[in-house]
Amino acid sequence: KEAEEVQAKYHTTVRCAVTEYSGVSKKGHAPYNPRKKNQDALIMADDPATNTLILCVLDGHGEHGDGVSAVFRDALAAEMIKHPS
């Protein structure tokens, strides 16, 4: 109940056409590698202070694709939000 109240208050104070969002990712088909990992990463971040919503799919490729997409997932949204206008 408390979470619903917080969400309702958020939606009345923030002017945004998007009220709900979700994300899903699936590993690519690789018949030559049955143990292939999903190398994708998702960013779903909002910042009420700046009225910013960031939705992003980072599509990892190659030997270190999972590491690269994870680094960007962990840092990109915060960098974008704190960037001066």
Side-chain angles (χ1 to χ4, degrees):
K1 175 111 175 143
E2 184 178 327
E4 290 174 6
E5 291 173 3
V6 169
Q7 186 177 21
K9 182 178 180 184
Y10 175 76
H11 290 303
T12 58
T13 58
V14 175
R15 293 184 176 165
C16 183
V18 178
T19 59
E20 295 182 23
Y21 49 89
S22 65
V24 66
S25 179
K26 181 179 176 183
K27 73 176 181 171
H29 180 66
Y32 55 86
N33 184 1
R35 290 184 274 174
K36 177 179 170 57
K37 297 190 297 185
N38 184 351
Q39 297 180 309
D40 301 346
L42 301 173
I43 297 174
M44 294 186 286
D46 62 12
D47 181 40
T50 60
N51 199 23
T52 301
L53 175 62
I54 300 170
L55 304 174
C56 183
V57 176
L58 304 161
D59 189 12
H61 287 265
E63 186 177 346
H64 303 290
D66 56 331
V68 173
S69 61
V71 167
F72 276 88
R73 178 201 59 218
D74 295 342
L76 185 62
E79 288 295 322
M80 291 174 70
I81 290 169
K82 77 178 187 180
H83 192 279
S85 300

